[in-house]
Amino acid sequence: MSVIRPATAHDVPAILQMIHDLALYEKEPDAVRNTPGMLTEVLFGEHPKVFATMAENSAGEVRGFALWFLNYSTWEGVHGIYLEDLYVRPEARGEGHGKALLQHLAATAVDRGYARVEWSVLDWNEPSINFYKKLGALPMEEWSTFRLTGAALTAFGSRPAVAGAGSSSRSREAATRG
């Protein structure tokens, strides 16, 4: 049995450990730069924009978490939930915690009138892909994720914006609608 509840500041060490465990699973063990202070601020600061939901077993032991935030669909005209991380500890997999976390997020979306719950999964992560498909989730086959980060982000973000160069901004906006 899985008990789903909102995270509290006391959960920060467990969440951060699971973030590190997820990075290891995703073959990026040195990629996590998050700290307890950063995580506490983003989840429990004055105006949080990121949220965490915990899964516990009946004994009150943390078994997994979901970290999420709101996105917005310009076509639907309403928010959605973007699931940044879903992680269940290996020894607790198959006990229903992942399903319970996703079902909780889906219920949150339905209750609040949101249009969708979406997330990304690595192409090689077949166990997760199969799990998501069994829940009725569909891959967005025609979409590719793009990311601007690191030196490329700094270089591009440091340049002055130039209007009229290349294709029109209206065309770029139309091409990236969601």
Side-chain angles (χ1 to χ4, degrees):
M1 179 181 126
S2 190
V3 176
I4 304 300
R5 62 169 178 79
T8 68
H10 296 301
D11 292 311
V12 167
I15 294 169
L16 194 54
Q17 181 59 57
M18 288 186 283
I19 290 170
H20 281 277
D21 294 344
L22 178 60
L24 182 63
Y25 176 77
E26 292 184 351
K27 303 174 185 169
E28 293 281 346
D30 300 321
V32 178
R33 290 175 179 70
N34 209 341
T35 67
M38 292 166 67
L39 195 55
T40 299
E41 179 60 29
V42 75
L43 291 172
F44 306 107
E46 190 173 341
H47 299 288
K49 305 254 186 306
V50 178
F51 310 94
T53 305
M54 308 303 290
E56 296 179 339
N57 62 16
S58 57
E61 300 167 323
V62 171
R63 308 317 279 154
F65 82 107
L67 193 133
W68 55 279
F69 52 88
L70 298 182
N71 58 18
Y72 181 77
S73 170
T74 57
W75 290 5
E76 296 285 340
V78 296
H79 283 290
I81 290 175
Y82 186 83
L83 175 61
E84 178 67 21
D85 286 336
L86 174 70
Y87 185 79
V88 174
R89 292 186 165 144
E91 66 274 14
R93 292 180 187 155
E95 296 176 3
H97 302 293
K99 182 177 181 181
L101 284 163
L102 279 169
Q103 196 163 30
H104 175 79
L105 292 181
T108 299
V110 170
D111 290 347
R112 296 180 184 179
Y114 298 163
R116 59 188 170 212
V117 175
E118 62 187 357
W119 59 94
S120 297
V121 62
L122 291 165
D123 291 338
W124 56 260
N125 192 346
E126 286 295 324
S128 293
I129 291 168
N130 292 333
F131 168 68
Y132 299 143
K133 285 181 177 179
K134 285 180 187 174
L135 300 177
L138 301 172
M140 300 296 293
E141 300 285 349
E142 297 177 359
W143 293 83
S144 294
T145 301
F146 282 78
R147 180 174 291 165
L148 195 54
T149 187
L153 173 63
T154 301
F156 188 64
S158 299
R159 295 182 198 141
V162 178
S167 62
S168 73
S169 61
R170 179 178 286 253
S171 296
R172 283 191 300 272
E173 290 171 8
T176 59
R177 285 222 155 164

